[in-house]
Amino acid sequence: MDIVIGNTECKGNTVSLRYALLALLTVEPMTGYDLFKHFESSVGYVWHAPDSQIYPELRRMESDGLLEGREVPWGPRGKKTEYRITDEGVETFRAWMNTDLEYSRERDPAHLKAAYLEWAEPEAARSQMQAHITHYRARLEQWTEKIREIDDGASPMLNKRLSGIPAEEHQKTVAFKRFTYEGLIARAEHEIAWAERGLDLISELYRTP
Amino acid sequence: MDIVIGNTECKGNTVSLRYALLALLTVEPMTGYDLFKHFESSVGYVWHAPDSQIYPELRRMESDGLLEGREVPWGPRGKKTEYRITDEGVETFRAWMNTDLEYSRERDPAHLKAAYLEWAEPEAARSQMQAHITHYRARLEQWTEKIREIDDGASPMLNKRLSGIPAEEHQKTVAFKRFTYEGLIARAEHEIAWAERGLDLISELYRTP
DNA sequence: ACAGACTATCTATGGATATAGTTATTGGCA
DNA sequence: TGCCAATAACTATATCCATAGATAGTCTGT
């Protein structure tokens, strides 16, 4: 007889926030608000979640034994809950990291719209492409800044992470972070180039001869 | 006093299937099953949805006046429901096409994992990169095939679409489709190149000296 | 002393999505 | 004739995710 208790099994497929939270908590213990702030800023453009998802998920993860919550005083009367990853949490994260992702089907509104762009007014079509460029330019800047931080040793999270592991592993940790952001930068550049070609195409198609 | 009836307003943000269905139904009337099949195959890698979402959404769209369902006999005893887009449906689609997309936050499991790849065994890390390559190679082939179909005039959906519009608009329709798939191909090539660099990086970092 | 911004957490609701079924008919093929 | 894959449609469940609020304490500057 198999007995499974509280097995909220997240399939490799759905990352569902859980592993993103575990990833951040491998670096250091944090409160829900800390995690929320990370998702709002830096990390937020690889993974994002609102606080209303984070707090309940943290409680669920605690009851699944992946985290340990601890009340910490905050000012004279306030308090906050700091979550620390447990050994089981580390193992769960490691197991996920050792499992291949299941790639889910694409769901790509920008390209869906692009395929039907003849339905839009020329100005609206241009505006979409411009919005695409603006969006990815912002990402590009953020990610370029990330690379700069990595190279300058100016990333607080990365430095904390490095201080917790032996020196001979620093290289790998830094290299994979850099590799990730390089990929995101290249992708952003591609998206910008694509949308710029889109703008040219629109001009060409709607040129009054 | 404002009275709003059945205003299931999908924000520009959430595409939510509805506009993907409208897009396909601008070409010709189809049954839920037809639409499902399209999402399973060709179109499925720009937008995907299981039938269990499609059927209820079609009914909702009908009650919102965007579609008109019509019972069609199917064999001696069977029947099926064919949905045709209404004028209101066309207007809704056009309005959506003339509105800028709101770009939602990234949620990118592959890059999230890549950023923490030092947690994976070297073989698992390699396997992830290989899976990334395999995934995008499959997309690449599909999309390349799409381009070929477009160029050869061998795309049934595109031909149906073209036969419903005046000749002077054919160029635009074809050009935007081609542009879309070109973008997807370039993206797939970028992802493959990235993952190949990942493989190199892993070899380099875990080389026994 | 108080305003206002920020920290910290929680609830509720609705819509999106995935998974796993059930039911029934059709049409081709052995 | 009988089997089976494909067609056609529906239901149920659970989670995911976004939006919008509610509540309450802290910290800083005026």
Side-chain angles (χ1 to χ4, degrees):
Chain A
M1 181 167 65
D2 291 332
I3 300 178
V4 179
I5 300 161
N7 184 347
T8 323
E9 52 177 284
C10 290
K11 291 199 34 193
N13 197 347
T14 62
V15 179
S16 83
L17 181 57
R18 175 161 293 212
Y19 297 106
L21 291 170
L22 282 179
L24 288 173
L25 289 170
T26 58
V27 178
E28 62 171 348
M30 280 189 246
T31 68
Y33 192 72
D34 291 335
L35 290 157
F36 168 62
K37 283 284 131 182
H38 277 283
F39 282 159
E40 281 269 279
S41 60
S42 56
V43 199
Y45 284 98
V46 177
W47 203 266
H48 174 258
D51 63 335
S52 61
Q53 276 167 257
I54 293 170
Y55 290 114
E57 182 62 24
L58 287 172
R59 275 176 271 142
R60 247 172 282 136
M61 287 164 79
E62 183 174 24
S63 78
D64 289 348
L66 307 179
L67 304 180
E68 240 172 49
R70 177 174 79 97
E71 298 234 314
V72 171
W74 168 53
R77 263 170 310 166
K79 56 181 180 168
K80 53 188 183 175
T81 310
E82 199 181 64
Y83 290 93
R84 171 186 303 275
I85 193 168
T86 63
D87 291 347
E88 200 189 329
V90 170
E91 258 335 288
T92 302
F93 181 64
R94 202 192 303 278
W96 180 66
M97 284 303 304
N98 279 314
T99 310
D100 280 7
L101 259 188
E102 277 177 46
Y103 284 77
S104 54
R105 302 305 197 95
E106 312 276 332
R107 196 156 284 153
D108 186 333
H111 281 76
L112 174 64
K113 286 189 91 166
Y116 292 87
L117 217 51
E118 71 272 15
W119 284 82
E121 300 296 320
E123 267 325 298
R126 252 185 277 269
S127 171
Q128 314 261 330
M129 290 297 114
Q130 201 51 64
H132 202 77
I133 291 169
T134 303
H135 176 75
Y136 281 102
R137 265 215 236 285
R139 295 301 77 70
L140 187 58
E141 266 176 50
Q142 278 181 350
W143 288 324
T144 306
E145 173 61 22
K146 279 278 147 198
I147 294 266
R148 209 175 301 130
E149 278 179 15
I150 290 171
D151 291 346
D152 298 352
S155 163
M157 278 294 275
L158 182 54
N159 291 340
K160 266 171 215 149
R161 174 86 190 102
L162 292 178
S163 72
I165 56 174
E168 64 267 27
E169 282 170 31
H170 285 201
Q171 192 197 8
K172 289 182 185 57
T173 302
V174 172
F176 286 130
K177 293 268 178 305
R178 204 175 193 290
F179 165 64
T180 302
Y181 286 111
E182 278 169 6
L184 291 168
I185 285 171
R187 181 195 283 176
E189 279 167 350
H190 148 67
E191 294 298 335
I192 292 167
W194 175 70
E196 271 164 359
R197 284 207 307 110
L199 286 175
D200 291 347
L201 181 62
I202 293 162
S203 295
E204 204 180 298
L205 292 171
Y206 291 97
R207 184 164 40 207
T208 44
Chain B
M1 180 165 64
D2 291 334
I3 300 179
V4 179
I5 299 161
N7 184 348
T8 322
E9 53 175 281
C10 291
K11 291 196 36 191
N13 196 348
T14 65
V15 177
S16 83
L17 181 58
R18 174 160 291 210
Y19 297 106
L21 291 170
L22 282 178
L24 288 172
L25 290 169
T26 57
V27 177
E28 62 172 347
M30 280 188 247
T31 67
Y33 193 71
D34 291 335
L35 291 158
F36 168 62
K37 283 285 128 181
H38 277 285
F39 282 159
E40 279 269 278
S41 60
S42 56
V43 198
Y45 284 98
V46 177
W47 202 266
H48 175 259
D51 63 337
S52 60
Q53 273 167 260
I54 293 171
Y55 290 116
E57 181 63 22
L58 287 171
R59 275 177 270 142
R60 245 172 284 137
M61 287 164 78
E62 183 175 23
S63 79
D64 288 348
L66 307 179
L67 305 180
E68 237 171 51
R70 176 174 80 95
E71 296 235 315
V72 171
W74 168 53
R77 264 171 307 167
K79 55 180 181 170
K80 53 188 184 175
T81 311
E82 200 180 64
Y83 289 93
R84 172 186 303 276
I85 193 168
T86 62
D87 290 348
E88 200 189 329
V90 170
E91 257 335 287
T92 302
F93 181 65
R94 202 191 303 278
W96 179 66
M97 283 303 304
N98 279 314
T99 312
D100 280 6
L101 260 188
E102 278 176 45
Y103 285 77
S104 53
R105 302 303 197 97
E106 311 278 331
R107 196 157 283 155
D108 187 334
H111 282 75
L112 174 64
K113 285 189 91 166
Y116 291 86
L117 218 50
E118 71 272 14
W119 283 82
E121 300 296 319
E123 267 325 297
R126 252 184 278 268
S127 171
Q128 315 261 329
M129 290 297 112
Q130 200 52 63
H132 202 77
I133 292 169
T134 303
H135 176 76
Y136 280 103
R137 265 215 236 284
R139 296 301 77 69
L140 187 58
E141 268 176 48
Q142 278 181 350
W143 287 324
T144 306
E145 173 61 23
K146 281 276 146 201
I147 294 267
R148 209 175 299 131
E149 279 180 15
I150 290 171
D151 290 347
D152 298 352
S155 163
M157 277 296 275
L158 182 55
N159 291 340
K160 266 170 215 147
R161 175 83 190 105
L162 292 178
S163 73
I165 57 175
E168 65 266 27
E169 282 171 32
H170 285 201
Q171 191 197 9
K172 288 183 185 57
T173 303
V174 173
F176 286 131
K177 293 267 180 306
R178 206 175 190 292
F179 166 64
T180 302
Y181 287 112
E182 277 169 6
L184 290 169
I185 285 171
R187 181 195 283 179
E189 278 167 352
H190 149 67
E191 293 297 335
I192 291 167
W194 175 70
E196 270 164 1
R197 284 207 307 110
L199 286 176
D200 290 347
L201 181 61
I202 293 162
S203 295
E204 205 180 298
L205 291 172
Y206 290 97
R207 186 162 39 207
T208 44

